[in-house]
Amino acid sequence: MELNSKIPSGPIQDKWDSHKFNLKLINPANKRKYQVIVVGSGLAGASAAATLAELGYDVKCFCFQDSPRRAHSIAAQGGINAAKNYQNDGDSIYRLFYDTVKGGDFRSREANVYRLAQISVNIIDQAAAQGVPFAREYGGMLANRSFGGAQVSRTFYARGQTGQQLLLGAYSALSRMIAAGKVKMYPRTEMLDLVMVDGKARGIVTRDLTTGKIESHAGHAVVMATGGYSTVFYLSTNAMGCNVTANWRAHRKGAAFANPCYTQIHPTCIPVSGDHQSKLTLMSESLRNDGRIWVPKKKGDTRAAKDIPENERDYYLERLYPSFGNLAPRDLASRRAKDMCDLGQGVGATGLGVYLDFSDAMKRDGEATISEKYGNLFDMYERITGENPYRQPMRIFPAPHYTMGGLWVDYNLMSTIPGLHVLGEANFSDHGANRLGASALMQGLADGYFVIPYTIGDYLAREELKDVSPSDSEFIETEKQVRQKIDRLLSIDGTRTVDSFHRELGRIMWNHCGMARTDKGLKEALVKIPELRDEFWNNVRVLGEGSDLNQSLEKAGRVADFLEFAELMCHDALTRAESCGGHFREEHQTEDGEAKRNDEEYSHVSAWEFTGVGSTPKLHKENLEFENVKLATRSYK
């Protein structure tokens, strides 16, 4: 396996423009001869499918939801970054680039990050032209707010519904292409394997989730935009349907998986309330603009928040990180919240929570102003907890959220499998070891609207791609393997539910590969996961049949993949004997509890090659070079 990042030469500010000029083109009349398969219809997938169809390609787009409108991108709340500098507060493309590299703890690829910062300014124009109702200042200019890891206001937003509104914009573009006959949409359809022909990605095998029909689809290239894998922890902010299956099946076919242990713990989630929960609810990071985070100074203080006087409160983020205060990056804010709870200063019935308090903001700006900014988030919090955040502080606690790891891609967003391109959260390329808030939507739309339309054309123009069909032997054999796996799951007839296995795996991963990791804990996990996987394949009970709507079967296939993928996550975390961003190894920390990087040994991307279930995966390294941002100990004090 060769890792050729294909980063263009020259000054970083010129790389993308010169690279675009040097890419091969396909004339408009010839584009209609090519079929492109797009898996996923969130921001990255919908924008890619719509834009490729607009250019003339024939596109098939697949999603397992009943509509692209229900993609998990809809759950993003707080905003989308762009280096517009509307506030005239010192922002620039370079500063967004710098903040992103620093925020990722110097574990991202400079060239990709700079391109993302460049493209960010175009995304806002595109979305505004589509009618996305961004918040506006009194004079009509688009409004901005700040997010963690930044000292400028560069985040564009639509109250707490930014992901939903941006997805509706992309969906409108996609719908126009569906109506024009250039995109054929396949809802309620799940990709179960990748089809390789002559070493190239030439199609996928799917299952219709309503009828159970197994079917193959052929194309000249495959684009995967299938999101992240935080549901490996069972409890996460992700929708219950989010999974690793598409990525993992591609990995088994030869696509390198990069930095799988880089998972983000979001600091601003509603705390766990009991074993009945199947997911956790995110409270937007934008709330940290006006909310102040604190805990009682006294351990075990069970008084109501209103009864604790100001001098007995510890605003610990403001104390520890005075330059950034409550807007410290997510990894720092999450670890410090855990520290406070570990010290016995947590709040709520479980002691696993800290306060997010808006009383000062409401005194300063008025309740109406706070409601205008965050009203729907406040309403959601009250519906879930029964507590009114206008009258008492929210209680929050960290939870698994975004995943920075993903399939390895080069500068053209192509994986180690020729023809397989990977966009958005499904790839690894832009966020290093910690994603800054409001950058997920930015990357998804940058990849879909502005990168893949250029780079996929270059691939198609350079490759000799013979005609293929679902009747070819490669497709028939892959379908056979998919059916065999389904039949095996249905035939086990054990005594444990799929959810019980998923919940147990989640506990193992949270305890040993979650917010903090240790050498001992990771080695324990690498013993427990194979044991649990063996029990799964001998004792799981999957109800129903394969030729029908069967959610038990859907979940079983996804949990089976998690039981393999979790092992890779732990191998990756164990191999990386340093702390950086969201990867916090307790053996590697400074005296004041901050992450301690080891740039001499670990300034690289860890790209893993599949060697078989239960076998030790093979590690490949892409060395990271920092020519424009000086390697330094990350400080937000």
Side-chain angles (χ1 to χ4, degrees):
M1 180 180 289
E2 181 185 358
L3 300 179
N4 180 3
S5 62
K6 298 181 182 177
I7 297 172
S9 59
I12 195 165
Q13 65 270 20
D14 299 331
K15 286 183 186 295
W16 178 230
D17 288 338
S18 62
H19 186 64
K20 284 191 294 184
F21 182 77
N22 291 320
L23 292 172
K24 277 186 169 289
L25 301 177
I26 302 173
N27 88 50
N30 285 340
K31 287 190 174 97
R32 63 177 67 102
K33 299 177 183 178
Y34 292 98
Q35 290 80 44
V36 179
I37 291 171
V38 178
V39 186
S41 62
L43 284 180
S47 59
T51 307
L52 292 172
E54 187 83 49
L55 289 171
Y57 298 104
D58 281 328
V59 177
K60 288 183 176 182
C61 186
F62 299 81
C63 69
F64 62 71
Q65 298 92 349
D66 57 358
S67 164
R69 294 192 305 272
R70 293 177 65 85
H72 190 58
S73 301
I74 200 172
Q77 298 168 346
I80 176 171
N81 287 330
K84 285 284 198 181
N85 195 30
Y86 281 172
Q87 305 297 315
N88 200 29
D89 58 357
D91 200 11
S92 64
I93 289 171
Y94 184 85
R95 188 175 294 278
L96 176 53
F97 158 69
Y98 174 84
D99 285 348
T100 305
V101 172
K102 177 184 175 185
D105 217 350
F106 302 92
R107 290 294 177 263
S108 49
R109 191 191 282 157
E110 273 196 345
N112 288 64
V113 177
Y114 195 89
R115 175 175 66 185
L116 178 64
Q118 282 179 296
I119 291 173
S120 71
V121 299
N122 300 329
I123 297 170
I124 302 304
D125 297 338
Q126 171 98 355
Q130 288 173 333
V132 173
F134 288 120
R136 294 181 180 267
E137 304 286 5
Y138 178 77
M141 291 289 287
L142 297 183
N144 291 119
R145 54 191 178 200
S146 192
F147 257 64
Q151 290 180 303
V152 297
S153 294
R154 63 162 68 100
T155 304
F156 296 77
Y157 63 97
R159 294 190 80 189
Q161 307 169 357
T162 314
Q164 179 181 14
Q165 298 302 329
L166 287 168
L167 185 61
L168 289 173
Y171 177 67
S172 68
L174 178 61
S175 296
R176 195 168 74 85
M177 289 296 100
I178 293 171
K182 293 300 294 179
V183 174
K184 186 170 183 182
M185 192 72 217
Y186 292 83
R188 302 188 187 92
T189 306
E190 183 169 25
M191 171 185 164
L192 292 184
D193 216 338
L194 182 72
V195 181
M196 307 276 289
V197 179
D198 297 332
K200 301 180 180 71
R202 295 302 306 270
I204 61 173
V205 174
T206 64
R207 180 175 182 269
D208 185 309
L209 299 182
T210 304
T211 67
K213 182 179 180 182
I214 305 297
E215 194 173 18
S216 291
H217 300 269
H220 293 92
V222 177
V223 175
M224 279 187 15
T226 50
Y229 48 82
S230 268
T231 40
V232 69
F233 295 100
Y234 187 70
L235 287 178
S236 77
T237 66
N238 286 7
M240 291 175 65
C242 294
N243 61 82
V244 78
T245 288
N247 267 13
W248 188 248
R249 305 286 171 92
H251 174 60
R252 289 181 59 130
K253 286 294 179 73
F257 214 116
N259 301 335
C261 79
Y262 285 168
T263 55
Q264 182 168 80
I265 310 300
H266 197 293
T268 319
C269 303
I270 297 177
V272 176
S273 60
D275 291 338
H276 63 283
Q277 284 183 270
S278 55
K279 78 174 299 292
L280 300 173
T281 303
L282 173 69
M283 288 284 101
S284 169
E285 183 176 305
S286 64
L287 294 168
R288 293 200 278 150
N289 274 284
D290 290 298
R292 299 181 71 193
I293 294 172
W294 63 275
V295 293
K297 289 182 178 179
K298 180 183 175 182
K299 293 182 181 180
D301 194 334
T302 58
R303 289 178 291 173
K306 61 181 177 59
D307 296 329
I308 301 175
E310 191 72 17
N311 63 351
E312 295 182 32
R313 301 179 178 188
D314 182 5
Y315 295 91
Y316 57 91
L317 289 179
E318 298 173 26
R319 171 172 57 82
L320 294 169
Y321 308 109
S323 294
F324 285 73
N326 296 296
L327 288 172
R330 291 177 175 178
D331 57 323
L332 301 186
S334 293
R335 283 201 295 276
R336 297 295 81 83
K338 180 180 182 296
D339 290 346
M340 295 298 114
C341 295
D342 289 347
L343 289 170
Q345 293 171 256
V347 301
T350 64
L352 297 176
V354 299
Y355 285 130
L356 179 60
D357 193 339
F358 289 85
S359 55
D360 287 350
M362 284 189 284
K363 289 175 185 175
R364 181 185 66 240
D365 300 328
E367 187 174 311
T369 299
I370 298 303
S371 176
E372 184 180 341
K373 288 182 178 179
Y374 313 113
N376 62 310
L377 297 172
F378 278 39
D379 292 344
M380 182 168 67
Y381 180 88
E382 185 171 8
R383 283 197 301 271
I384 292 170
T385 65
E387 300 171 4
N388 184 343
Y390 293 103
R391 301 292 168 258
Q392 62 189 94
M394 289 183 179
R395 290 177 296 108
I396 57 169
F397 192 69
H401 180 53
Y402 189 88
T403 53
M404 287 75 66
L407 293 185
W408 184 92
V409 291
D410 62 18
Y411 191 70
N412 292 331
L413 303 185
M414 190 160 72
S415 72
T416 52
I417 296 177
L420 177 64
H421 299 76
V422 190
L423 314 185
E425 191 177 359
N427 74 34
F428 87 100
S429 64
D430 292 5
H431 306 298
N434 174 60
R435 177 178 66 80
L436 293 185
S439 288
L441 306 183
M442 176 174 63
Q443 187 209 346
L445 291 178
D447 288 355
Y449 280 139
F450 298 106
V451 180
I452 196 63
Y454 280 94
T455 60
I456 201 170
D458 181 74
Y459 168 75
L460 295 171
R462 291 180 188 276
E463 293 291 328
E464 291 186 13
L465 299 168
K466 68 179 185 181
D467 290 338
V468 296
S469 156
S471 61
D472 292 345
S473 60
E474 293 89 348
F475 287 84
I476 293 171
E477 178 59 28
T478 306
E479 274 192 37
K480 179 182 175 183
Q481 294 168 5
V482 167
R483 294 178 195 277
Q484 287 175 340
K485 186 164 189 175
I486 289 173
D487 291 343
R488 185 182 173 193
L489 286 167
L490 290 167
S491 68
I492 297 169
D493 198 28
T495 61
R496 286 188 62 177
T497 65
V498 175
D499 281 346
S500 74
F501 281 101
H502 195 179
R503 188 178 288 108
E504 185 173 345
L505 176 65
R507 282 196 295 267
I508 293 170
M509 294 302 290
W510 178 249
N511 291 335
H512 299 305
C513 196
M515 203 182 323
R517 297 101 186 257
T518 65
D519 182 273
K520 179 184 176 183
L522 290 165
K523 287 176 179 175
E524 284 182 21
L526 287 170
V527 172
K528 291 179 178 179
I529 293 167
E531 292 174 348
L532 185 64
R533 184 170 64 237
D534 288 344
E535 185 185 354
F536 174 87
W537 284 108
N538 286 285
N539 196 31
V540 73
R541 185 173 181 82
V542 182
L543 302 173
E545 300 177 354
S547 56
D548 203 350
L549 173 66
N550 188 340
Q551 292 188 311
S552 178
L553 176 61
E554 291 172 38
K555 288 192 287 186
R558 296 166 190 168
V559 172
D561 292 327
F562 275 137
L563 285 163
E564 295 176 9
F565 171 67
E567 201 169 358
L568 178 63
M569 283 182 67
C570 293
H571 276 297
D572 189 39
L574 185 62
T575 305
R576 190 171 285 275
E578 65 162 354
S579 290
C580 57
H583 168 65
F584 191 74
R585 286 282 296 270
E586 291 184 2
E587 306 94 335
H588 305 282
Q589 56 180 301
T590 63
E591 291 182 0
D592 53 355
E594 302 293 0
K596 189 175 182 180
R597 290 198 329 265
N598 181 346
D599 293 327
E600 287 188 13
E601 295 186 57
Y602 298 104
S603 189
H604 63 253
V605 175
S606 296
W608 295 90
E609 180 180 354
F610 182 74
T611 57
V613 178
S615 300
T616 302
K618 186 176 181 180
L619 175 61
H620 301 266
K621 298 178 182 179
E622 177 199 341
N623 291 324
L624 294 170
E625 297 180 4
F626 295 92
E627 300 172 346
N628 300 275
V629 177
K630 183 181 178 182
L631 281 167
T633 300
R634 203 168 48 136
S635 175
Y636 292 91
K637 295 186 176 180

